[in-house]
Amino acid sequence: MEKTSTDAFPSIIYSSEKQETVCIFGTGDFGRSLAFKMLQCNYSIVFGSRNPQKSSLLPHGAEIFSYSEAAQKSDIIIIAVHREHYDFLKELTEVLKGKILVDISNNLKINQYPESNAEYLAHLVPGAHIVKAFNTISAWALQSGTLDANRQVFVCGNDSHAKQRVMDIVRTLGLTPLDQGSLMAAKEIENYPLQLFPMWKFPFYLSAILCVFFFFYCVIRDIIYPYVNSKKDITFRLAISIPNRIFPIAALTLLALVYLPGVIAAILQLYRGTKYRRFPDWLDHWMLCRKQLGLVALGFAFLHVLYTLVIPIRYYVRWTLKNRTITQSKLGYLTLILCTAHTLVYGGKRFLSPASLIWYLPSAYVIALIIPCTVLVIKFILILPCIDKTLTRIRQGWERNSKPTSDGQYLKQSSIHLDSQL
Ligand SMILES: Cc1cc2nc3c(=O)[nH]c(=O)nc-3n(C[C@H](O)[C@H](O)[C@H](O)COP(=O)(O)OP(=O)(O)OC[C@H]3O[C@@H](n4cnc5c(N)ncnc54)[C@H](O)[C@@H]3O)c2cc1C
Ligand SMILES: NC(=O)C1=CN([C@@H]2O[C@H](COP(=O)(O)OP(=O)(O)OC[C@H]3O[C@@H](n4cnc5c(N)ncnc54)[C@H](OP(=O)(O)O)[C@@H]3O)[C@@H](O)[C@H]2O)C=CC1
Ligand code: HEM
Ligand SMILES: [Fe+3]
C-alpha cells in the first residue's frame, strides 16, 4: 500500500533526484520562501544579495554571494526584487547575457506602469531571455505548503526553450504551469493578483440580481396572485417561505454558472482546435471568478438548508438525511447533478403541468432548472469518448491545424454543430 502511494505523487519521485543549481536575486520574503520550497525539491540554491554578509534567516543549505558572483553560478536567475529596484541589473548586463531571468514581480495597482514589469526587465537586460512566472503564488503559501487550492502558475515568455526550463521547475515543485504565450501576456498575468476584489464583484452583483428577480417573481406568483384571485392575505410568506424559495434557486443557478464557463471553454477549444489562442476577456474573467461563484452558491445553499431545518418540518424529511451527506462532500458536478435532481424530484409530477402555470408564469424552480440542465446536457456531450479524446489532446498541446487529420476534420464539423446548440 505504501509503495503504490508514491506512484500517485510523481513529484516525490522527482524530488529524490538531484536538480540543477538555480540563482535567486534578493533575500526578501519571496526569495527565501521560494528557496525553501526549491531546496525541499533538491535544487541547489545560490542567493545574490546586496549584503551577502549581513543577510540572515536564509533557508538551510543555500549559499549567498554578491549579485554578480551569484549570477555566474547558474543560467537560471529568479529576480525576487521589486521592480522599483531593478536598476542595478543594468550594470550586470554582461554577466546576464544569454541567461534565463524569471520575473516574479507584482505591482500595487492595475496598469501602474505603461509596460509590464517583465517587458521592462527585457528592456533593461536586452541579452537575457525573460520569462514571467510565479507572481500569483504568495510567499506565505509557498512556505506553509498551503498551495492545494491554487496550484496554477501562469508562465509566459518569448523564448520557448527558456519557458520550457521554467515550466519544468514549476512542475518539479508540484505546481501546474499554464503556458500563456509570449511576453505580451505578462501585463495581464501581473494584473491577476490585483483582481481579487473585482473577482468578487461579479458574483456579488449577479446574486443580487438573481435574488431581486426571483423575489418579485415569487411575490407575483405566491402572494399577489392568491390575493387578486381569492382575496387571501398570505404576506406572512415573505418571512420564510419566499426566502427559502429564493435561496436554493440562487444556489442552484450560481452553481451551474460555476461550470458553464468550463463547458464554453471546451467548446471554444474544440472549435478552434488549439489551446494557444486567447479566450475573449469576458470568458477569461468568468473562468477566474469560478471559485468565488462557488463560494457564494455554497452560502445560499447553506441558508436554504438552515431555513428548511428551522421551519417546522412539513416537507420531505427523507431529503434532509439524504442530502446532508451530499453538501458535505465535494462541490463538483456531482453536487450539480444531485441538486438538479433534487429540484426535479421536488417538482415531481407538477413539472410544467398547465395547472402550475400562474398568469402564464411557470414555478420559479422550473426557471431555475434551465441553466443547470443546459450545462449538464452539454457536459454529457463533451464527455462522449470521441469528443473527450480530442479535447484532451488539445489541452495537452496538440493543434488541429498544424497536423490536419481525418479525425480533426470530423471534429471541426461536430464542434460547429455543438456551438450552434449553445
Ligand atoms: C483564467 C483562465 C484563462 C484561460 N485562457 C485560455 C485561453 O486564452 N485559451 C485557451 O485555449 N484556454 C484557456 N484556458 C483554459 C485552460 O487551458 C484549460 O483548458 C481549461 O481551464 C480547462 O477547463 P476547466 O478549468 O473547466 O477544467 P476542469 O474543470 O479541470 O476540466 C474539465 C474536464 O476536462 C478534463 N481536462 C481538463 N484538462 C485536461 C487535460 N490537460 N488533459 C485531459 N483532460 C483534461 C477534466 O478531466 C474534466 O473532465 C484558460 C483557463 C483559465 C483558468
Ligand atoms: N511576498 C509575496 O508574497 C510575493 C512577492 N512577489 C514579488 O516578489 C518580489 C520580492 O518581494 P518580497 O520578497 O516580498 O519583497 P522584500 O522587500 O521582502 O524583498 C525584496 C528584496 O529585494 C532585494 N533588493 C535589491 N535591491 C534592492 C533595493 N534597492 N532596495 C530594497 N531591496 C532590494 C533585497 O534583497 P537583498 O537585501 O538580499 O539585496 C530585498 O530583500 C516583488 O517583486 C514582489 O512583487 C510576488 C508574489 C508574491
Ligand atoms: C440538507 C440539504 C437540503 C434539504 C434538506 C433540502 C430540502 C428542500 C425542501 C424541503 C424543499 C422544498 C421547499 C419548499 O417547499 O418551499 C427544497 C426545495 C429546493 N431545493 Fe433543497 N434541500 C437541500 C439542499 C439543496 C441544495 C444544496 C440545493 C441547490 C444548490 C437545493 C435546491 C433546491 C431548489 C432549487 C428547490 C426548489 C425551491 C422552490 O422553488 O421552492 N437544495 N429543498
Ligand atoms: Fe469576475
Side-chain angles (χ1 to χ4, degrees):
M1 193 59 202
E2 281 85 11
K3 268 180 195 152
T4 48
S5 68
T6 25
D7 295 345
F9 299 101
S11 58
I12 295 172
I13 297 169
Y14 278 42
S15 59
S16 65
E17 295 165 9
K18 193 74 198 153
Q19 306 287 348
E20 62 202 314
T21 300
V22 172
C23 171
I24 299 179
F25 274 10
T27 54
D29 288 336
F30 197 82
R32 273 179 288 146
S33 305
L34 191 62
F36 177 81
K37 180 86 189 169
M38 292 184 75
L39 283 162
Q40 279 185 333
C41 297
N42 273 338
Y43 282 94
S44 301
I45 299 296
V46 282
F47 275 109
S49 172
R50 289 167 301 170
N51 311 303
Q53 288 82 29
K54 276 199 197 154
S55 295
S56 56
L57 293 168
L58 290 186
H60 183 73
E63 292 180 282
I64 180 159
F65 299 95
S66 71
Y67 281 126
S68 67
E69 276 177 302
Q72 287 160 22
K73 305 213 181 277
S74 164
D75 54 354
I76 299 190
I77 300 164
I78 297 171
I79 314 289
V81 174
H82 287 278
R83 172 201 170 119
E84 288 72 18
H85 308 307
Y86 278 3
D87 302 345
F88 76 93
L89 294 165
K90 236 185 335 199
E91 287 136 39
L92 300 175
T93 316
E94 260 327 295
V95 196
L96 297 178
K97 201 165 233 153
K99 306 228 171 199
I100 300 171
L101 301 191
V102 185
D103 185 304
I104 54 139
S105 63
N106 282 317
N107 294 321
L108 297 174
K109 282 196 289 248
I110 287 189
N111 299 329
Q112 190 170 355
Y113 298 101
E115 82 282 60
S116 69
N117 299 351
E119 286 164 309
Y120 171 63
L121 181 61
H123 179 76
L124 281 181
V125 194
H129 306 300
I130 314 296
V131 177
K132 181 91 207 176
F134 291 115
N135 67 306
T136 52
I137 304 268
S138 86
W140 180 79
L142 266 176
Q143 205 156 15
S144 61
T146 49
L147 279 166
D148 292 8
N150 190 7
R151 292 192 159 269
Q152 294 182 336
V153 174
F154 299 98
V155 182
C156 75
N158 292 339
D159 184 283
S160 61
H161 174 69
K163 191 157 63 177
Q164 211 51 54
R165 299 255 323 252
V166 175
M167 299 214 308
D168 286 342
I169 295 181
V170 172
R171 267 184 226 110
T172 309
L173 298 185
L175 305 168
T176 313
L178 282 183
D179 188 345
Q180 299 288 294
S182 77
L183 212 57
M184 270 156 64
K187 183 143 198 134
E188 206 178 331
I189 298 179
E190 285 169 14
N191 282 338
Y192 284 158
L194 298 167
Q195 285 168 345
L196 206 66
F197 182 67
M199 279 196 236
W200 281 100
K201 227 161 144 181
F202 172 64
F204 179 80
Y205 284 122
L206 189 67
S207 3
I209 292 169
L210 281 174
C211 286
V212 169
F213 172 79
F214 281 106
F215 176 78
F216 284 110
Y217 195 92
C218 293
V219 164
I220 291 173
R221 269 186 55 103
D222 299 350
I223 296 181
I224 299 182
Y225 175 83
Y227 185 77
V228 171
N229 244 22
S230 43
K231 289 272 172 285
K232 266 196 290 185
D233 181 8
I234 44 172
T235 37
F236 64 88
R237 281 197 179 178
L238 281 173
I240 290 177
S241 168
I242 301 254
N244 199 27
R245 185 148 289 176
I246 297 168
F247 294 151
I249 286 175
L252 189 59
T253 309
L254 291 170
L255 190 63
L257 292 177
V258 170
Y259 293 98
L260 189 54
V263 162
I264 296 176
I267 293 174
L268 210 60
Q269 287 175 327
L270 281 170
Y271 179 75
R272 291 170 166 180
T274 174
K275 70 164 180 178
Y276 297 110
R277 266 176 62 193
R278 296 201 71 72
F279 287 164
D281 277 354
W282 58 268
L283 185 56
D284 193 87
H285 193 65
W286 195 355
M287 294 287 278
L288 280 171
C289 61
R290 288 182 293 179
K291 200 193 292 173
Q292 287 74 7
L293 278 171
L295 288 171
V296 179
L298 197 65
F300 278 114
F302 179 74
L303 282 175
H304 164 54
V305 174
L306 206 71
Y307 266 64
T308 306
L309 299 179
V310 161
I311 3 177
I313 305 178
R314 55 195 161 92
Y315 320 107
Y316 323 84
V317 181
R318 277 175 298 129
W319 272 106
T320 319
L321 296 169
K322 221 171 169 186
N323 278 8
R324 199 179 294 156
T325 43
I326 292 155
T327 20
Q328 278 165 3
S329 73
K330 199 165 104 198
L331 187 79
Y333 273 102
L334 184 68
T335 321
L336 185 58
I337 292 170
L338 288 165
C339 291
T340 311
H342 156 50
T343 316
L344 277 168
V345 169
Y346 161 75
K349 282 202 215 95
R350 297 181 295 136
F351 196 69
L352 278 188
S353 75
S356 71
L357 292 181
I358 291 181
W359 286 336
Y360 302 108
L361 299 177
S363 298
Y365 71 87
V366 176
I367 297 181
L369 280 170
I370 297 174
I371 304 176
C373 289
T374 314
V375 172
L376 289 175
V377 167
I378 302 177
K379 180 69 191 172
F380 179 76
I381 298 173
L382 287 174
I383 57 173
L384 293 177
C386 56
I387 296 179
D388 188 50
K389 212 175 91 193
T390 314
L391 188 59
T392 304
R393 279 162 77 196
I394 290 173
R395 286 179 174 172
Q396 286 168 346
W398 173 83
E399 288 182 279
R400 189 191 302 134
N401 288 341
S402 62
K403 273 180 259 161
T405 60
S406 53
D407 180 18
Q409 197 53 43
Y410 159 72
L411 231 117
K412 192 159 198 153
Q413 285 161 5
S414 70
S415 60
I416 290 167
H417 176 65
L418 273 172
D419 221 16
S420 59
Q421 270 192 342
L422 192 83

